[in-house]
Amino acid sequence: MDDKHLVAVIDFGSQYTQLIVRRVRELGYMAKLYALEDLDQIHEPGAVILSGGPKSTTDADAPDIDFEWLKSLNVPVLGVCYGMQLLNIKHGGSVKASNKREYGPAALLPEACTGLYRDMSPSSQVWMSHSDTVDHLAEGCQVIARNAEGVPVSLQWGEATFGIQFHPEVTHSHEGRTILRNFLSCAANLKKFDIGDFKRQLIREIRERVGSKQVVCGVSGGVDSTVLAVLLHEAGVNMRAIFVDNGLLRKNEADEVRANFARMNVEIETVDASERFLTALAGEGDPEKKRRIIGGLFIDVFWDAVGDAEMLAQGTLYPDVIESASNAKSKASVIKTHHNRVERVLELQAQGKVLEPLAELFKDEVRELGASMGIPHDILWRHPFPGPGLAVRCPGVVTRDRLDIIRECDAIFIGNLKKYGWYEKVWQAYAGLIPVKTVGVKGDERSYEWATNLRAIVSEDAMTADWVELPPALLRETSNRILNEVKGINRVLYDISTKPPASIEWE
């Protein structure tokens, strides 16, 4: 994609940096994240944002930036947290270590509700996460906002260089979106993010790269791989879409996936390898070994079906690109220890034969792209499903009986979420098995059966997650049905753990 006139977000290591890119996209502009070592890839940006970061600007190895290069761009600049402190130093000021780390909500009091704080409240909640504070301001620096104690938390140099001590990208900063919008309004010729134009450009690029070659892609029925397959189909290239049934899917899922692709007039090839996976997993209870078995066998099965591939298409999304950018070499090394079949993917990558057309999109943008191609709403809003399937919802040994119990519990839970109108309010939900037998009473007899855990969370991209306060009536009906209809379960629990510290899945 053409990088001119976009918002260049420079990464200093903040856990929230990805969110800055996302928020700018939500405001309708194209944004990309750049590592410090990749600044030579930035050409004629429309604006620059310097992210926060875990380091202190007073550290000997603190990340730095070429200030003369930054000034030469002659575009609006916003420094967030670490970025503000760095800008203050570059302009001739200084920073000192604070006596305590400031983390959490704080009051933002703009000096005037103009400029960066146009249309803002006189007092607004923002989210702080820093251990340093501004000590000395350079000549010509203007304080444009303070906190409740009168400490400067926002600075301005010249007409369009700003610094803010807080994180406008997180939802805890109540008017952060307005601040970002006001900053972007200072820029001229920013590239708009229009999904229709983006789709047309993707299709042109796919046709140019693929030509007459055959491209293969794996499909799971999830949003990402579905949109990828439909995009390739719409581009009119020679495509093979392969669906591997690993025997670890939800109830009737293989049939549902085939039916969904038939609705979209996209032909897929199904490989039923369920017996191979269950045999390979027999007796193994260690979660990491289970993942390695599933991942390695999937690669075997997929490439056996593919044969000689001229090109491979993958549904990589932008969060995947961001996450892997800094340690791609180490990740590739880990993958290769899982199974040498991945070397084929690495070879194709080296040859420029791996196609990742969704690699600049976030999940919500992928859904928007899918909608623009006519993919039905219910397919686009299917909940995410883990690659290892129900194996990560079955702690301990995976058996056919345990999987069947999970499928029945899950089908009841998901069915009730849809019945009560909660399915699309939840980012992901499932039922899993707790491999601990508990005493119960069924009829006139004592029972000794498993427990099931229900989990429903809200999230943006699975980086963090919060549990959902579902209506008691929904939970009660779900519990009653599971206890009455699913043989082998006599106890139903609802998981109210956040991520962190808990993960979304149990294994």
Coordinates of all heavy atoms in Angstrom, one line a residue, residues 117-152:
Y117 N -7.5 20.8 22.7 CA -8.6 20.5 23.6 C -9.9 21.2 23.2 O -10.8 21.4 24.0 CB -8.2 20.9 25.0 CG -7.0 20.1 25.5 CD1 -5.7 20.7 25.6 CD2 -7.0 18.7 25.7 CE1 -4.6 20.0 26.0 CE2 -5.9 18.0 26.0 CZ -4.7 18.6 26.1 OH -3.6 17.8 26.5
R118 N -10.0 21.4 21.9 CA -11.3 22.0 21.4 C -12.4 21.0 21.6 O -12.3 19.8 21.5 CB -11.1 22.2 19.9 CG -12.3 22.9 19.2 CD -12.0 23.3 17.8 NE -12.0 22.1 16.9 CZ -10.8 21.6 16.4 NH1 -9.7 22.2 16.7 NH2 -10.8 20.5 15.7
D119 N -13.6 21.6 22.0 CA -14.8 20.8 22.3 C -14.6 19.8 23.5 O -15.4 18.8 23.6 CB -15.2 20.0 21.1 CG -15.5 20.9 19.9 OD1 -16.0 22.0 20.1 OD2 -15.2 20.4 18.7
M120 N -13.7 20.1 24.4 CA -13.5 19.3 25.5 C -14.1 19.8 26.8 O -14.4 21.0 26.8 CB -11.9 19.2 25.8 CG -11.2 18.4 24.8 SD -11.2 16.6 25.1 CE -10.2 16.5 26.6
S121 N -14.3 19.0 27.8 CA -14.8 19.4 29.1 C -13.8 20.2 29.8 O -12.6 19.9 29.6 CB -15.3 18.2 29.9 OG -16.2 17.4 29.2
P122 N -14.1 21.1 30.7 CA -13.1 21.8 31.5 C -12.3 20.9 32.4 O -11.2 21.2 32.8 CB -14.0 22.8 32.4 CG -15.3 22.9 31.7 CD -15.5 21.6 31.0
S123 N -12.9 19.7 32.8 CA -12.2 18.7 33.5 C -12.6 17.3 32.9 O -13.8 17.0 32.8 CB -12.6 18.7 35.0 OG -11.9 17.7 35.7
S124 N -11.6 16.5 32.6 CA -11.9 15.2 32.0 C -11.0 14.1 32.6 O -9.8 14.4 32.9 CB -11.6 15.3 30.5 OG -11.9 14.1 29.8
Q125 N -11.5 12.9 32.6 CA -10.6 11.8 33.1 C -9.7 11.3 32.0 O -10.2 11.1 30.9 CB -11.5 10.6 33.6 CG -10.6 9.4 34.1 CD -11.5 8.3 34.6 OE1 -12.2 8.4 35.5 NE2 -11.4 7.2 33.8
V126 N -8.4 11.1 32.4 CA -7.5 10.5 31.5 C -6.8 9.4 32.2 O -6.9 9.3 33.4 CB -6.4 11.5 31.0 CG1 -7.1 12.6 30.1 CG2 -5.7 12.2 32.1
W127 N -6.0 8.6 31.5 CA -5.3 7.4 32.0 C -3.8 7.6 32.0 O -3.2 7.8 31.0 CB -5.7 6.1 31.3 CG -5.2 4.9 31.9 CD1 -4.1 4.1 31.6 CD2 -5.9 4.2 33.0 NE1 -4.0 3.0 32.4 CE2 -5.1 3.1 33.3 CE3 -7.0 4.4 33.7 CZ2 -5.4 2.2 34.3 CZ3 -7.4 3.5 34.7 CH2 -6.6 2.4 35.0
M128 N -3.2 7.6 33.2 CA -1.8 7.8 33.3 C -1.0 6.5 33.5 O -1.6 5.5 34.0 CB -1.5 8.7 34.6 CG -2.1 10.1 34.5 SD -1.1 11.1 33.4 CE -1.8 12.7 33.7
S129 N 0.2 6.5 33.0 CA 1.0 5.3 33.2 C 2.5 5.7 32.9 O 3.1 5.6 31.9 CB 0.7 4.2 32.2 OG 1.5 3.0 32.4
H130 N 3.1 6.3 34.0 CA 4.4 6.8 33.8 C 5.1 6.9 35.2 O 4.5 7.0 36.2 CB 4.4 8.2 33.2 CG 3.8 9.3 34.0 ND1 4.5 10.2 34.7 CD2 2.5 9.6 34.2 CE1 3.7 11.0 35.4 NE2 2.4 10.6 35.1
S131 N 6.5 7.0 35.2 CA 7.3 7.2 36.4 C 8.1 8.4 36.3 O 8.7 8.8 37.3 CB 8.2 6.0 36.6 OG 9.0 5.7 35.5
D132 N 8.2 9.1 35.2 CA 9.0 10.3 35.1 C 8.0 11.5 35.0 O 6.8 11.4 34.7 CB 9.8 10.3 33.8 CG 11.0 9.3 33.9 OD1 11.2 8.8 35.0 OD2 11.6 9.1 32.9
T133 N 8.6 12.7 35.2 CA 7.8 13.9 35.1 C 8.7 15.0 34.5 O 9.9 15.0 34.6 CB 7.2 14.4 36.4 OG1 6.3 15.4 36.2 CG2 8.3 14.8 37.4
V134 N 8.0 16.0 33.9 CA 8.8 17.1 33.3 C 9.4 18.0 34.4 O 8.7 18.3 35.4 CB 7.8 18.0 32.4 CG1 8.5 19.3 32.0 CG2 7.4 17.2 31.2
D135 N 10.7 18.3 34.2 CA 11.4 19.1 35.3 C 11.5 20.5 34.8 O 11.1 21.4 35.5 CB 12.8 18.4 35.5 CG 13.5 19.1 36.6 OD1 12.9 19.7 37.5 OD2 14.8 19.1 36.6
H136 N 12.1 20.7 33.7 CA 12.4 22.0 33.2 C 11.8 22.1 31.7 O 12.0 21.3 30.9 CB 13.9 22.3 33.1 CG 14.2 23.6 32.4 ND1 14.0 24.8 32.9 CD2 14.8 23.8 31.2 CE1 14.4 25.8 32.1 NE2 14.9 25.1 31.0
L137 N 11.1 23.2 31.5 CA 10.5 23.4 30.2 C 11.5 24.3 29.3 O 12.0 25.3 29.8 CB 9.2 24.1 30.3 CG 8.1 23.4 31.0 CD1 6.8 24.2 31.1 CD2 7.8 22.0 30.4
A138 N 11.6 23.9 28.1 CA 12.4 24.7 27.2 C 11.8 26.0 26.9 O 10.6 26.2 27.0 CB 12.7 23.9 25.9
E139 N 12.6 27.0 26.4 CA 12.1 28.3 26.1 C 11.1 28.2 24.9 O 11.4 27.5 23.9 CB 13.3 29.2 25.7 CG 12.8 30.7 25.4 CD 14.0 31.6 25.1 OE1 15.2 31.1 25.4 OE2 13.8 32.7 24.6
G140 N 10.0 28.8 25.0 CA 9.0 28.8 24.0 C 8.0 27.7 24.1 O 7.0 27.6 23.4
C141 N 8.2 26.8 25.1 CA 7.2 25.7 25.4 C 6.0 26.3 26.1 O 6.2 27.1 27.1 CB 7.9 24.6 26.2 SG 6.8 23.3 26.6
Q142 N 4.9 25.8 25.7 CA 3.6 26.3 26.4 C 2.9 25.2 27.1 O 2.8 24.1 26.5 CB 2.7 26.9 25.3 CG 1.4 27.4 25.8 CD 0.5 27.9 24.7 OE1 0.8 27.8 23.5 NE2 -0.8 28.3 25.0
V143 N 2.6 25.4 28.3 CA 1.8 24.4 29.1 C 0.3 24.6 28.7 O -0.3 25.7 28.8 CB 1.9 24.6 30.6 CG1 1.0 23.6 31.3 CG2 3.3 24.4 31.0
I144 N -0.3 23.5 28.1 CA -1.7 23.7 27.7 C -2.7 22.8 28.5 O -3.9 22.9 28.3 CB -1.8 23.3 26.2 CG1 -1.3 21.9 25.9 CG2 -1.1 24.3 25.3 CD1 -1.5 21.4 24.4
A145 N -2.2 22.1 29.5 CA -3.1 21.3 30.4 C -2.3 20.9 31.6 O -1.1 20.6 31.5 CB -3.8 20.1 29.7
R146 N -3.0 20.8 32.7 CA -2.4 20.4 34.0 C -3.3 19.3 34.6 O -4.4 19.1 34.2 CB -2.2 21.6 34.9 CG -1.4 22.7 34.4 CD -1.3 23.9 35.4 NE -0.6 25.0 34.8 CZ 0.7 25.2 34.8 NH1 1.5 24.3 35.5 NH2 1.3 26.2 34.3
N147 N -2.7 18.7 35.7 CA -3.6 17.7 36.4 C -4.2 18.5 37.6 O -4.0 19.7 37.8 CB -2.8 16.5 36.9 CG -1.6 16.8 37.8 OD1 -1.6 17.9 38.4 ND2 -0.8 15.8 38.0
A148 N -4.9 17.8 38.5 CA -5.5 18.4 39.6 C -4.6 19.0 40.6 O -4.9 20.0 41.4 CB -6.4 17.4 40.4
E149 N -3.3 18.6 40.6 CA -2.3 19.2 41.5 C -1.5 20.3 40.9 O -0.6 20.9 41.4 CB -1.3 18.1 41.9 CG -1.8 17.1 42.9 CD -2.8 16.1 42.3 OE1 -2.5 15.6 41.1 OE2 -3.8 15.8 42.9
G150 N -1.9 20.7 39.6 CA -1.3 21.8 38.9 C 0.0 21.4 38.2 O 0.7 22.3 37.6
V151 N 0.3 20.1 38.1 CA 1.5 19.7 37.4 C 1.2 19.7 35.9 O 0.2 19.2 35.5 CB 1.9 18.2 37.9 CG1 3.1 17.7 37.1 CG2 2.2 18.2 39.3
P152 N 2.1 20.2 35.1 CA 1.9 20.2 33.6 C 1.8 18.7 33.1 O 2.7 17.9 33.3 CB 3.2 20.9 33.1 CG 3.7 21.7 34.2 CD 3.4 20.9 35.4

